[in-house]
Amino acid sequence: MTKKVSPSIDEWLKQAKADSRALQEGMFLVHNGVVRQTPKAKVRQGLDDGSLVKGMEFAYDAVKVDAAIAETYKMEGIFYVKVWLNEGQLDVGDDIMYVLIGGDIRPHVVDALQFLVGKIKSECVVEIEQK
């Protein structure tokens, strides 16, 4: 698998604002996950073995991602969801994912973004850090 070319967020926002549900939306949030040099164990659990990440092997299950998106659309006030996931061998600084959520008010959009990114990270992807 070869890594993909990242999408244009400007284009994504234009598409979202042209969508038939756009008049119901008062907010859009974008998440951009990036391969970082600091290992996940250090950032999440404070475990520092002195190593640095040099890259990442990344894969995802498209069926599970689609199910997570469908679940997000059921959340209150959410009218637009778009997800892009990279794949293959990624380098530090490469984009891992983009998620765009559009909804009526800030609390609904923040909750939906938190839910969807968390679900994708915990249930839909495989990330193997290379040190």
Side-chain angles (χ1 to χ4, degrees), residues 89-110:
Q89 179 60 44
L90 308 180
D91 298 318
V92 172
D94 283 347
D95 294 321
I96 300 171
M97 79 168 76
Y98 280 99
V99 176
L100 172 65
I101 305 278
D104 56 1
I105 59 173
R106 182 178 35 84
H108 292 157
V109 179
V110 169

Side-chain angles (χ1 to χ4, degrees), residues 55-126:
M56 171 187 292
E57 184 68 30
F58 186 81
Y60 63 93
D61 183 322
V63 172
K64 288 182 180 179
V65 173
D66 288 345
I69 291 168
E71 204 174 334
T72 305
Y73 269 117
K74 294 177 184 175
M75 297 178 76
E76 185 178 356
I78 300 306
F79 302 103
Y80 195 87
V81 179
K82 189 161 182 140
V83 173
W84 173 90
L85 296 167
N86 211 335
E87 61 186 338
Q89 179 60 44
L90 308 180
D91 298 318
V92 172
D94 283 347
D95 294 321
I96 300 171
M97 79 168 76
Y98 280 99
V99 176
L100 172 65
I101 305 278
D104 56 1
I105 59 173
R106 182 178 35 84
H108 292 157
V109 179
V110 169
D111 288 350
L113 183 69
Q114 183 84 342
F115 168 81
L116 182 54
V117 171
K119 188 132 183 124
I120 290 170
K121 296 277 289 174
S122 65
E123 299 178 17
C124 305
V125 304
V126 176

Side-chain angles (χ1 to χ4, degrees), residues 2-102:
T2 306
K3 62 184 166 187
K4 300 176 183 177
V5 175
S6 300
S8 164
I9 295 305
D10 287 339
E11 285 303 312
W12 273 25
L13 285 168
K14 284 179 191 174
Q15 292 168 7
K17 291 175 181 180
D19 186 86
S20 62
R21 299 160 290 187
L23 296 178
Q24 300 174 72
E25 295 163 333
M27 180 179 186
F28 292 97
L29 275 181
V30 175
H31 167 81
N32 175 213
V34 178
V35 180
R36 71 177 169 269
Q37 189 176 46
T38 309
K40 184 185 287 188
K42 182 175 180 182
V43 174
R44 303 248 183 227
Q45 292 111 19
L47 304 174
D48 187 1
D49 64 2
S51 67
L52 295 176
V53 172
K54 292 181 171 69
M56 171 187 292
E57 184 68 30
F58 186 81
Y60 63 93
D61 183 322
V63 172
K64 288 182 180 179
V65 173
D66 288 345
I69 291 168
E71 204 174 334
T72 305
Y73 269 117
K74 294 177 184 175
M75 297 178 76
E76 185 178 356
I78 300 306
F79 302 103
Y80 195 87
V81 179
K82 189 161 182 140
V83 173
W84 173 90
L85 296 167
N86 211 335
E87 61 186 338
Q89 179 60 44
L90 308 180
D91 298 318
V92 172
D94 283 347
D95 294 321
I96 300 171
M97 79 168 76
Y98 280 99
V99 176
L100 172 65
I101 305 278

